[in-house]
Amino acid sequence: MNFHTRKWVKPEDLNPNGTLFGGTLLRWIDEEAVIYAIVQLGNPHVVTKFISEINFVSSAKQGDIIELGITATHFGRTSITLTCQVRNKITRRSILTIDKLVFVNLDEHGNPTPHGKTEITYAYAGNRP
């Protein structure tokens, strides 16, 4: 799993219990995941279709630095399926896992359209033979 984005948990990110608000974390994940899907599919017209069970493993508190990891696990005809893990950057302790996030590739009219991708490509940009 590649960890691309780091976030610093600030006071405005906290819930009444003094830990990272789950909604804030889910917004960060959805944004990171759709950017990942856009880069992989080469199309800025991508939407979230499905997010499986979200497993909050532990909490983050003010001052923690967390990192979001996203990996493509499956390429459908018009979709891409990702997995996600969020962990504490310093301790490496898992904060959240999501087994399945599905994004759909759209045409200029907002209809699902084939993307023609079958493998992760961003990691090879500029380095492919």
Side-chain angles (χ1 to χ4, degrees), residues 39-94:
V39 170
Q40 290 302 316
L41 301 180
N43 179 11
H45 304 289
V46 175
V47 294
T48 307
K49 165 79 170 145
F50 176 81
I51 299 177
S52 70
E53 179 177 304
I54 300 162
N55 186 9
F56 289 94
V57 180
S58 66
S59 58
K61 59 187 184 316
Q62 183 178 334
D64 284 351
I65 298 170
I66 64 170
E67 54 187 1
L68 287 67
I70 305 281
T71 299
T73 58
H74 178 74
F75 289 85
R77 190 175 70 81
T78 65
S79 66
I80 183 172
T81 302
L82 312 175
T83 187
C84 174
Q85 179 183 359
V86 178
R87 67 183 182 188
N88 182 299
K89 170 67 178 160
I90 306 303
T91 67
R92 299 285 198 258
R93 183 175 180 193
S94 182

Side-chain angles (χ1 to χ4, degrees), residues 92-108:
R92 299 285 198 258
R93 183 175 180 193
S94 182
I95 294 170
L96 173 145
T97 60
I98 302 174
D99 289 335
K100 190 174 184 181
L101 299 100
V102 179
F103 293 86
V104 175
N105 190 59
L106 303 177
D107 65 17
E108 62 277 357

Side-chain angles (χ1 to χ4, degrees), residues 22-36:
T24 299
L25 180 54
L26 292 175
R27 179 173 47 84
W28 292 344
I29 291 167
D30 191 40
E31 182 177 359
E32 177 69 15
V34 77
I35 290 169
Y36 185 97

